[in-house]
Amino acid sequence: MSLDWQNLKDNREEVLKAEIGSLLFLIEKTFLSWWKDNGYFDSETPLYSQRNQEIQNILENSFKNIEINVSKLMTNYNQSQNNINLWQHFFKDWRRWRRPNPNQINSQLKILQKLYGTAEALNSGIEKGSPKDNIECDYPFISNSFGTFKELAIPDKFDIARDNYKNQIITSLDKIANGNFNFNNDRKIFLTLIKKIYSHLPSDTRFPLNDVDLWNQSYMATSMFKALLAGVYLKPINTNSFDLSKVTWSILAIQYDKLGLAQKGLSPAHILNYRNISKIIDCVLKSLIENKFAIGNEVYRDETGIYFLVSENLKGEKVGNFYQLHNDLNDIRQNILKVFSKITKDEFYPTIILSESSRATMNLTTLIYKAKENFLKADYSLKKELNIPIKAKGICQVCQFRLSIYNSDNVPMCKICIDRKKGRVDKWLQNQSSETIWIDELADTNNKVALVSLKFELKEWLNGKLFSSLLGQKLDLDTIQYNQYVDDIFNTLKDNKQLDETQYINNYSENINPKEQPLRKIVESWFIERVIGTIYENSIKEQLTNNIDFSNRKIQWNNLNDDNFKFLSKLLLQFLLRKNPSPARLRRVWKSTEDFFGDVQKDILSSFIDTRTKKSFKQKVPDFSNLDITDNQEYKQYFSIIDPTPISWQFIIPTAKVESFIGEVQKLYYHNFKYVNGKLPLHIGVVVQKSKDPLYVGIKALRNMRRDIKEWSEIKKEDIGLLKNYTDEVDNNPLDYYYLYETQNFDYDFMLLPSSKGVKKYNSNDSFIIYPNTIDFEYLDTNTRRNDIYYKNGKRVIELKQNRPYSWEEFKKFEEFKKQFKDKSNQLQSLVSLIYSKMEDWQSDEESFKIFMETTFSQRDLKREDFGMSDFSFDEVKKFLDMFEFWHTTLKEI
């Protein structure tokens, strides 16, 4: 399949004009009158009672003068005019035209409507699922992806807020119409403008569907439309045969190891430099893909690279699990590589690959979690031969790539790395109140610093699986006759009846119309639409074998047996009731976790303030005593190793602040994610080292402490009473929608997961499966100690440290340990020495050891339960030793 790359290049601005126009389709929801019509703000008087007229006032004149050449989108184009205007052929009456005949292009002049309608219907339809219309709040507000209140949509955020930017919107559109719009700069300004208006408003009136704000809904619909439009310019279609129901998208990944760059840093200045390089690279790549080539929009970025939603047409040859960029798009590949060549001076290059195609964005997950493997497949085709200086003294100890001809601080370094370090110091001098770049300003009185890693496990959210534990509509899960609902669907499917003939399910399918159609037809359209590209597609293939054709949306119903019908019935019920992982909702998941790290930075780390004097600086950093330091300057006493991402963040703080930091992070987590505690694991890792030791050693140890698990089964726990029973519910009872957990109780198999487990509302009497938050720590008394940080099945492999990491609930016992021994350091050290010696002496006689330890603890009036020990076995006593290692050896708090 060849692509017409020149066609897209010639029509790049047409794509960008259509993108900008499509961002305004949801402007109706910024009007107070729209929300008043939907049951809110009874006592408020909207500024515009006739909102359609005001929308026309804002957009019509400009849109009528913005023309787009659509003739190059179709191989069978037969219209007399090549151009259409955005008002007449795209925006006008969009609420009416976006739904009928979704899979056919009936009018060539309305092709943009059909392409956008396909994208918007997928994004919005999957997002909303099939909720009942009576699920409403007392007031509109935005929650995060996990049910916690984030922002109230007050009246001033509608008409007044939009009108503040109305003239800027009109000016931008007029510039497009007049040909004066700079798509490189003005587009970015316009998107920021729309984001300011949309991001403070929910996209839906009903709880719990208010977790997606208007900006994310609009941005993802527009991004899907843009990618689809660019794909059609690359491969023009025949409108007589093109089937919109088969359109899919791919993810373009440009992957490079940002954590690996941090590990190169010999000092905070070097690390800061690599952070800055990564920011510049991502910024330039974003402009390249979104503006210069207009093939898609960024949907995600983290420590593994940057990711864009693009058309499936960009895929070339398949290599392993992923695809190369199409050979006809070598211009794009070359430009990407040139970005790295220029910015990094040939130091490192990316891996450029594409995911499998999908109707959603869950295909992103495999790319992210295969990143380590993908880093080894980087494209070095532009790398030049290394020039060897005559006076070379060896390899630069920072970049580990170029040859060094200088020494800086007695370290062999190349000129580029020396200049970079000097540049970072110069920039720091301009903003001395920011986070410090001097490791000695982070050292405590014991000359120790703490390197901290925060890492979410997001895989089971990004692949859509855990959305099966969230409900999109109200249901009393404790009393529901689940089998009646399944049997209702089973009988309707088997007897080939219509949806409106069902006894129960008709009440939970408000958004499925018409009702007067066979349920089988709904399964082949509405249901399969939401399955393609998800973890459930393979499950259905295994169950139905050759009796399902996903490409043509057909099922051989006459060949199905009762087990097949039962399987489909359970899964269809699940899809009717759950919250669906739409592109916009998935984006909100990683935005929620990224925002959490932002709150950690803003609310916790930014409170770590110290004062720098000229005298103290000269004492702590004598090698730079000649710098022009501001006297009595307050500064932030932390340093970011990498910038926060949706998955993780790493930074350095004084060791003395570790205890309070952990407590504050836990409070913030429970505030933001209390309704999914046990389903959204956050791992805290603390590595303490001496401030004079090589920083890269601690950073490498910290990378190990991220605990990159392969499967969630490695960290699962199953028991009674693992979680708190929340009673402080807010309006609309979010626990009913979010506080649902996996269980092995097969008598109650509500919601079928691929693993055949059931899901139900949490209670303290039944056994549930959770994935706990955890804490681990290590003191690097030697450089080789980092090799102790190795995990298997979620736990440390080293025998003496096999209880690490500890769940947050278990870690509460650490606090009890500190209380008991705070002023008894000598007694504690004596006891610990005794334990170590007896463990060595009686390593083959555990029973004698248990008896001895029971007597020893009793003599000291100590209760093993206070330290989380179930008995005095070797493994349990190691918990006590870990507490000593944490408080005494690592933090020196005892």
Side-chain angles (χ1 to χ4, degrees):
M1 178 194 74
S2 62
L3 299 180
D4 194 343
W5 173 229
Q6 189 61 47
N7 190 37
L8 177 57
K9 288 200 294 185
D10 292 342
N11 290 281
R12 160 190 169 261
E13 289 194 0
E14 311 304 286
V15 174
L16 296 176
K17 285 188 285 187
E19 173 195 30
I20 287 171
S22 68
L23 283 168
L24 294 165
F25 274 117
L26 297 180
I27 197 172
E28 181 182 39
K29 291 187 178 182
T30 68
F31 282 80
L32 193 68
S33 62
W34 186 88
W35 290 85
K36 193 176 180 71
D37 289 347
N38 283 275
Y40 295 94
F41 304 117
D42 289 340
S43 61
E44 299 288 335
T45 302
L47 292 181
Y48 304 95
S49 57
Q50 302 296 321
R51 62 177 175 275
N52 289 337
Q53 183 60 50
E54 176 60 11
I55 293 173
Q56 198 167 337
N57 293 339
I58 298 173
L59 302 179
E60 182 177 10
N61 288 336
S62 298
F63 273 10
K64 279 184 176 179
N65 293 318
I66 297 176
E67 294 192 336
I68 294 179
N69 185 339
V70 296
S71 65
K72 299 299 183 180
L73 290 168
M74 295 157 275
T75 58
N76 63 327
Y77 192 73
N78 56 17
Q79 304 298 310
S80 59
Q81 60 186 94
N82 290 336
N83 295 344
I84 64 170
N85 74 69
L86 283 185
W87 181 260
Q88 188 65 33
H89 300 104
F90 192 29
F91 192 88
K92 187 178 180 181
D93 298 330
W94 94 278
R95 285 285 180 187
R96 180 177 56 81
W97 59 249
R98 67 173 182 155
R99 293 303 182 189
N101 300 318
N103 299 326
Q104 293 81 40
I105 300 174
N106 301 321
S107 169
Q108 292 182 339
L109 294 179
K110 298 294 180 70
I111 186 171
L112 294 187
Q113 290 185 349
K114 287 301 180 183
L115 296 181
Y116 178 80
T118 298
E120 199 279 333
L122 269 173
N123 182 55
S124 179
I126 293 176
E127 172 191 314
K128 292 175 174 57
S130 186
K132 299 180 74 171
D133 286 335
N134 62 354
I135 309 175
E136 293 189 351
C137 320
D138 295 333
Y139 46 82
F141 68 91
I142 302 172
S143 71
N144 67 12
S145 290
F146 308 106
T148 298
F149 171 87
K150 295 299 291 184
E151 184 177 0
L152 190 66
I154 61 175
D156 287 354
K157 293 180 179 179
F158 294 90
D159 296 335
I160 295 174
R162 185 194 60 255
D163 282 359
N164 287 337
Y165 301 106
K166 180 169 69 173
N167 290 336
Q168 291 174 255
I169 294 174
I170 294 172
T171 299
S172 296
L173 297 177
D174 287 343
K175 286 173 70 176
I176 296 174
N178 296 328
N180 299 323
F181 193 84
N182 184 320
F183 285 98
N184 290 326
N185 298 321
D186 292 344
R187 173 185 171 274
K188 183 178 180 181
I189 295 171
F190 187 82
L191 263 66
T192 302
L193 176 68
I194 299 301
K195 184 177 181 180
K196 287 180 180 178
I197 300 171
Y198 285 4
S199 61
H200 299 288
L201 305 175
S203 66
D204 197 278
T205 61
R206 297 160 293 187
F207 184 86
L209 303 180
N210 59 341
D211 57 324
V212 178
D213 60 65
L214 195 58
W215 165 248
N216 279 290
Q217 184 191 13
S218 179
Y219 179 80
M220 288 309 300
T222 286
S223 297
M224 295 171 76
F225 167 59
K226 177 183 181 179
L228 178 55
L229 183 60
V232 175
Y233 273 118
L234 283 171
K235 187 183 178 184
I237 62 175
N238 185 315
T239 54
N240 294 326
S241 58
F242 188 69
D243 187 354
L244 289 166
S245 69
K246 297 182 180 180
V247 168
T248 58
W249 287 262
S250 185
I251 303 291
L252 169 64
I254 305 173
Q255 296 184 312
Y256 62 104
D257 188 4
K258 298 177 187 178
L259 287 174
L261 296 179
Q263 288 176 202
K264 292 183 176 187
L266 298 182
S267 71
H270 294 129
I271 296 171
L272 188 59
N273 173 68
Y274 279 117
R275 274 172 52 200
N276 187 56
I277 286 176
S278 297
K279 285 180 182 178
I280 293 172
I281 287 173
D282 287 349
C283 182
V284 175
L285 290 175
K286 181 179 177 70
S287 178
L288 191 73
I289 300 300
E290 295 186 359
N291 292 330
K292 182 174 181 178
F293 296 132
I295 55 174
N297 283 345
E298 177 191 349
V299 291
Y300 183 82
R301 77 169 76 177
D302 67 5
E303 57 268 43
T304 66
I306 186 168
Y307 301 80
F308 300 89
L309 185 69
V310 297
S311 165
E312 61 176 334
N313 292 340
L314 273 69
K315 294 190 308 183
E317 179 184 357
K318 187 172 185 179
V319 179
N321 295 317
F322 306 108
Y323 294 82
Q324 301 291 325
L325 200 58
H326 196 286
N327 288 336
D328 292 338
L329 304 177
N330 189 52
D331 190 17
I332 296 176
R333 186 177 68 87
Q334 291 292 314
N335 272 270
I336 292 171
L337 295 177
K338 286 176 182 177
V339 170
F340 285 82
S341 176
K342 181 178 180 180
I343 295 175
T344 74
K345 311 296 185 187
D346 254 6
E347 186 176 334
F348 60 89
Y349 283 87
T351 300
I352 306 169
I353 50 178
L354 292 100
S355 71
E356 290 282 4
S357 302
S358 174
R359 298 279 274 183
T361 53
M362 278 83 81
N363 45 2
L364 171 68
T365 312
T366 307
L367 285 166
I368 295 171
Y369 288 93
K370 291 285 186 180
K372 275 190 177 180
E373 299 173 24
N374 297 337
F375 293 151
L376 303 176
K377 304 170 186 176
D379 187 338
Y380 290 97
S381 58
L382 289 190
K383 190 170 183 177
K384 307 177 188 69
E385 288 190 15
L386 191 65
N387 292 324
I388 302 179
I390 297 175
K391 298 181 180 180
K393 298 180 179 180
I395 297 293
C396 172
Q397 294 301 294
V398 179
C399 65
Q400 301 166 29
F401 164 65
R402 288 174 285 269
L403 294 171
S404 67
I405 56 175
Y406 304 95
N407 279 342
S408 175
D409 304 329
N410 297 317
V411 176
M413 290 172 59
C414 66
K415 186 176 186 306
I416 290 175
C417 288
I418 290 174
D419 290 343
R420 286 174 175 173
K421 180 178 180 181
K422 182 180 183 302
R424 297 317 306 173
V425 173
D426 290 342
K427 287 190 176 181
W428 170 79
L429 285 170
Q430 299 170 17
N431 186 16
Q432 296 179 35
S433 64
S434 61
E435 59 184 76
T436 183
I437 64 169
W438 309 104
I439 196 73
D440 291 300
E441 288 192 325
L442 297 171
D444 63 8
T445 55
N446 298 305
N447 291 318
K448 292 181 180 180
V449 293
L451 290 75
V452 180
S453 171
L454 301 178
K455 179 173 178 280
F456 281 108
E457 297 296 341
L458 286 183
K459 182 178 180 181
E460 300 300 302
W461 287 102
L462 298 185
N463 68 17
K465 176 181 175 181
L466 275 177
F467 280 91
S468 296
S469 70
L470 307 181
L471 286 176
Q473 45 189 319
K474 180 76 171 179
L475 205 63
D476 188 350
L477 295 178
D478 293 327
T479 59
I480 183 176
Q481 297 300 309
Y482 171 73
N483 289 330
Q484 288 184 344
Y485 280 68
V486 173
D487 290 344
D488 189 23
I489 298 176
F490 175 88
N491 294 327
T492 306
L493 283 176
K494 195 168 183 182
D495 297 339
N496 197 16
K497 294 181 180 179
Q498 296 185 160
L499 174 60
D500 61 348
E501 295 180 83
T502 59
Q503 184 176 356
Y504 304 106
I505 299 305
N506 192 29
N507 295 326
Y508 293 93
S509 55
E510 295 295 327
N511 279 3
I512 300 178
N513 289 299
K515 309 291 186 191
E516 300 79 18
Q517 62 175 318
L519 188 57
R520 290 183 179 183
K521 185 176 180 181
I522 293 170
V523 170
E524 291 179 331
S525 55
W526 183 92
F527 175 67
I528 291 181
E529 186 76 46
R530 285 150 178 78
V531 165
I532 293 175
T534 73
I535 55 175
Y536 296 99
E537 184 174 350
N538 288 333
S539 299
I540 295 173
K541 285 179 181 177
E542 291 174 5
Q543 181 70 216
L544 303 189
T545 62
N546 295 326
N547 293 317
I548 185 166
D549 180 355
F550 280 101
S551 297
N552 295 304
R553 315 293 198 270
K554 289 295 181 183
I555 294 176
Q556 300 297 323
W557 296 101
N558 292 335
N559 294 339
L560 302 189
N561 58 37
D562 284 358
D563 289 341
N564 299 149
F565 278 110
K566 182 72 74 172
F567 176 84
L568 286 176
S569 299
K570 290 181 178 180
L571 207 52
L572 178 58
L573 176 61
Q574 175 175 320
F575 274 58
L576 286 170
L577 301 178
R578 72 170 186 169
K579 293 185 73 171
N580 287 300
S582 70
R585 179 160 285 123
L586 284 171
R587 180 178 168 84
R588 279 289 289 165
V589 165
W590 62 71
K591 279 295 182 184
S592 292
T593 54
E594 188 175 44
D595 289 346
F596 172 81
F597 290 139
D599 290 340
V600 170
Q601 188 171 30
K602 175 173 61 74
D603 299 337
I604 302 175
L605 293 190
S606 291
S607 68
F608 293 174
I609 301 295
D610 200 4
T611 301
R612 179 190 300 115
T613 64
K614 289 186 176 183
K615 181 179 179 180
S616 67
F617 185 81
K618 288 180 180 180
Q619 291 174 341
K620 293 178 179 179
V621 196
D623 292 341
F624 289 85
S625 59
N626 61 324
L627 293 179
D628 184 17
I629 301 299
T630 303
D631 201 18
N632 294 315
Q633 173 68 62
E634 286 191 345
Y635 66 95
K636 296 175 182 177
Q637 204 176 19
Y638 72 92
F639 174 76
S640 296
I641 298 172
I642 62 170
D643 289 316
T645 76
I647 289 179
S648 72
W649 189 25
Q650 295 182 351
F651 46 87
I652 307 173
I653 61 175
T655 305
K657 296 187 182 294
V658 167
E659 180 185 1
S660 63
F661 172 79
I662 290 174
E664 291 302 314
V665 167
Q666 290 174 329
K667 288 179 186 177
L668 192 61
Y669 176 94
Y670 289 130
H671 170 73
N672 282 278
F673 307 123
K674 56 181 171 288
Y675 303 127
V676 290
N677 178 27
K679 295 188 290 187
L680 183 65
L682 176 62
H683 178 64
I684 302 175
V686 179
V687 171
V688 173
Q689 70 171 66
K690 297 173 184 177
S691 60
K692 299 299 182 183
D693 286 348
L695 188 55
Y696 69 87
V697 175
I699 294 175
K700 287 181 178 179
L702 196 64
R703 183 163 194 174
N704 292 344
M705 196 164 278
R706 280 167 55 93
R707 192 197 58 177
D708 292 325
I709 61 174
K710 292 183 178 180
E711 300 295 337
W712 275 37
S713 58
E714 298 176 27
I715 61 171
K716 77 174 183 179
K717 283 191 171 186
E718 183 175 7
D719 206 344
I720 296 172
L722 291 173
L723 299 174
K724 176 181 177 181
N725 269 328
Y726 287 102
T727 56
D728 53 337
E729 298 182 21
V730 298
D731 292 345
N732 306 297
N733 299 320
L735 296 180
D736 291 339
Y737 303 97
Y738 294 94
Y739 214 50
L740 290 83
Y741 290 83
E742 294 178 69
T743 175
Q744 292 281 20
N745 183 356
F746 292 103
D747 293 331
Y748 195 112
D749 53 354
F750 177 77
M751 288 196 177
L752 178 71
L753 291 170
S755 56
S756 300
K757 299 182 183 70
V759 176
K760 68 174 180 178
K761 188 175 178 180
Y762 181 80
N763 66 77
S764 59
N765 298 319
D766 293 333
S767 179
F768 286 87
I769 293 171
I770 70 159
Y771 306 93
N773 302 317
T774 47
I775 296 176
D776 199 357
F777 61 92
E778 190 65 61
Y779 173 53
L780 300 183
D781 54 344
T782 65
N783 289 354
T784 57
R785 186 67 66 194
R786 69 177 186 269
N787 297 324
D788 287 1
I789 309 172
Y790 180 72
Y791 299 90
K792 184 177 181 181
N793 295 325
K795 288 290 188 180
R796 292 280 202 98
V797 172
I798 299 295
E799 186 175 355
L800 192 60
K801 302 173 182 180
Q802 64 190 34
N803 290 310
R804 305 184 199 175
Y806 290 89
S807 71
W808 288 9
E809 288 71 27
E810 292 169 332
F811 197 75
K812 291 177 182 177
K813 298 298 183 180
F814 279 61
E815 299 167 6
E816 180 63 29
F817 181 95
K818 183 184 179 183
K819 290 178 183 177
Q820 293 213 28
F821 293 104
K822 178 65 177 173
D823 300 315
K824 301 176 183 177
S825 179
N826 291 336
Q827 177 187 342
L828 174 61
Q829 292 185 60
S830 173
L831 175 58
V832 169
S833 297
L834 182 63
I835 292 173
Y836 275 119
S837 75
K838 294 306 178 184
M839 288 181 77
E840 178 69 23
D841 295 342
W842 289 333
Q843 55 183 306
S844 59
D845 187 3
E846 188 172 27
E847 286 304 315
S848 295
F849 175 80
K850 290 166 69 174
I851 294 170
F852 176 80
M853 290 310 304
E854 184 172 8
T855 302
T856 301
F857 268 58
S858 177
Q859 289 172 347
R860 288 165 172 77
D861 198 25
L862 299 174
K863 297 178 181 179
R864 58 176 172 77
E865 295 86 356
D866 291 343
F867 310 109
M869 297 158 51
S870 58
D871 55 39
F872 287 104
S873 63
F874 289 144
D875 289 347
E876 289 296 299
V877 173
K878 288 172 186 174
K879 295 178 181 179
F880 186 88
L881 296 178
D882 274 343
M883 295 176 188
F884 171 79
E885 289 294 318
F886 182 75
W887 292 115
H888 177 75
T889 308
T890 305
L891 299 188
K892 288 294 183 184
E893 293 284 339
I894 296 178

